[in-house]
Amino acid sequence: MKKSLIIICLLLGLSFAIAEFFQDKSIDSDTDATTNQKLFRVAILTPVTHPSLEQIQQGFCETLTHNGIDRYQFTVYNAQGSQTLMRSELEEMSSKRYDLIFAIGTQAAKMSKEVLTKKHQTTPLVFAAVPNPEEHHLVQSESTPNGFVTGISEITDYSKQMDLLAHLKPDLKSVLLVYDPTNAGLDRDRIIVENKLSTMGIRLIPIEVFKTNEIKQKVSPFIHEVDVVMTLKDNTVVAGLETLVKLCHTTQTLLMASDLDSPLKGAAIGFGVKEYDFGVEAAKKARLILHDGLSPHQIPVTAVDQFKLKFNTLSMAQQGLPLDPFLHYLIENGEGI
């Protein structure tokens, strides 16, 4: 009986030893045993659920995984419009020690750098769709970032956008600009638009909204006084675009957006860049860091600058700007180059 117990104990001890051996010698968490590919853990921080931001995220993930050289594990953090939640999520990210953080938009990028800096962490941080990253103290300069941060800046061309608008609507006399001044950089954009329109003899009426549910109440008293309603790249206003579309349809007032997604929701015209491209370009920088071993400070900040014009022909007709039949045919059946 004693011999049996001794044998059982020896066998149990051996099994634990074998298990411990294989646990210690198991594949490193950063390597795939079957393919010998490096596995990179990437955190993605987005400020809110929005089609444009989702396109950026999609472009980033698809570009990184396209070549098949490395493997990536993406964890998406969505702040749902809450700065408190965003900070909490960043605290979690810092504790999990990701290989790289991808921050979409100014707020996400600024808070990411702030939290990492306070914790004396230098996790590579790549941002996308951030206007004037130097002014937001994300990088020392766009050509030499000097730190653990680099990314893709967002530029605008309101001068060209206003010229196109005036060409489409030659009798243009006044524009109603609906925007949330608490969104980073939008007050600056409002000034640029106002100055450009002033040189064209066109009056700008700015309407500040701080929540989506304020749009109807604040816009309704002024919409009959203007020829065009304009939006910027503004998460607050774009989230309530349906309200603006209804008002513009009812009053036959043209709605022009500063992005290419809003025409799909009812804006008559959109002017901007493809959001997907922000993700593509950001992924290229992430790959230089993770696969090629470069430091973010060695990678200059660059911009997406391929602006396009998009029409919603049904909305144009409902908002008082029907197209010439031949031009309508070209837009519906042609492809621009």
Side-chain angles (χ1 to χ4, degrees), residues 38-298:
K38 179 76 174 176
L39 174 62
F40 294 109
R41 296 165 57 249
V42 178
I44 299 174
L45 179 61
T46 185
V48 69
T49 300
H50 187 279
S52 294
L53 305 182
E54 289 169 358
Q55 286 183 42
I56 295 174
Q57 179 183 315
Q58 181 183 0
F60 180 77
C61 295
E62 290 183 351
T63 302
L64 272 182
T65 56
H66 178 68
N67 62 9
I69 297 174
D70 302 307
R71 292 179 65 249
Y72 297 89
Q73 181 184 80
F74 301 104
T75 303
V76 180
Y77 293 84
N78 190 324
Q80 302 295 345
S82 167
Q83 291 191 40
T84 303
L85 178 57
M86 182 180 288
R87 189 171 294 277
S88 173
E89 290 175 333
L90 280 163
E91 292 287 342
E92 180 181 325
M93 284 185 224
S94 67
S95 69
K96 291 190 175 182
R97 301 282 182 167
Y98 286 95
D99 295 304
L100 182 138
I101 295 175
F102 176 48
I104 303 175
T106 304
Q107 186 183 50
K110 289 178 68 176
M111 194 176 291
S112 295
K113 184 180 180 183
E114 176 191 334
V115 170
L116 292 173
T117 300
K118 284 184 178 179
K119 291 183 175 294
H120 305 288
Q121 294 182 10
T122 55
T123 303
L125 173 61
V126 176
F127 62 78
V130 175
N132 308 303
E134 290 180 36
E135 291 187 11
H136 293 297
H137 306 293
L138 286 170
V139 293
Q140 178 176 291
S141 75
E142 295 193 19
S143 58
T144 53
N146 189 34
F148 60 92
V149 184
T150 188
I152 310 299
S153 65
E154 179 179 84
I155 61 175
T156 57
D157 192 346
Y158 290 119
S159 178
K160 185 174 182 180
Q161 185 175 352
M162 295 303 96
D163 286 340
L164 286 168
L165 180 59
H167 182 75
L168 289 166
K169 203 168 176 66
D171 58 346
L172 180 63
K173 294 183 177 61
S174 56
V175 174
L176 185 71
L177 178 66
V178 187
Y179 79 110
D180 178 356
T182 64
N183 279 329
L186 294 192
D187 254 332
R188 176 195 181 107
D189 288 354
R190 187 263 304 166
I191 293 171
I192 293 172
V193 172
E194 189 167 25
N195 289 341
K196 170 63 178 178
L197 290 176
S198 177
T199 65
M200 301 166 70
I202 299 169
R203 181 170 65 113
L204 181 75
I205 302 175
I207 299 293
E208 297 181 354
V209 297
F210 301 92
K211 295 180 180 179
T212 298
N213 58 13
E214 296 177 354
I215 292 176
K216 184 175 181 180
Q217 179 186 358
K218 290 191 172 182
V219 172
S220 295
F222 298 95
I223 197 167
H224 295 281
E225 302 177 18
V226 299
D227 304 305
V228 172
V229 173
M230 179 180 172
T231 64
L232 304 173
K233 290 195 70 174
D234 180 339
N235 291 334
T236 303
V237 174
V238 173
L241 192 73
E242 182 180 348
T243 301
L244 275 181
V245 169
K246 288 180 179 178
L247 287 171
C248 289
H249 281 356
T250 301
T251 59
Q252 288 199 315
T253 306
L254 193 72
L255 176 57
M256 183 175 207
S258 301
D259 66 271
L260 298 180
D261 293 318
S262 291
L264 299 174
K265 298 180 179 180
I269 305 167
F271 180 82
V273 298
K274 290 183 178 180
E275 305 299 327
Y276 187 90
D277 290 345
F278 282 110
V280 171
E281 296 304 316
K284 292 177 182 177
K285 296 187 187 300
R287 187 179 293 154
L288 288 173
I289 295 167
L290 297 174
H291 181 75
D292 297 347
L294 295 184
S295 172
H297 77 263
Q298 298 174 288

Side-chain angles (χ1 to χ4, degrees), residues 10-25:
L10 287 172
L11 289 172
L12 285 172
L14 182 60
S15 65
F16 282 124
I18 292 171
E20 186 175 356
F21 174 81
F22 279 109
Q23 183 175 6
D24 291 341
K25 302 298 182 181

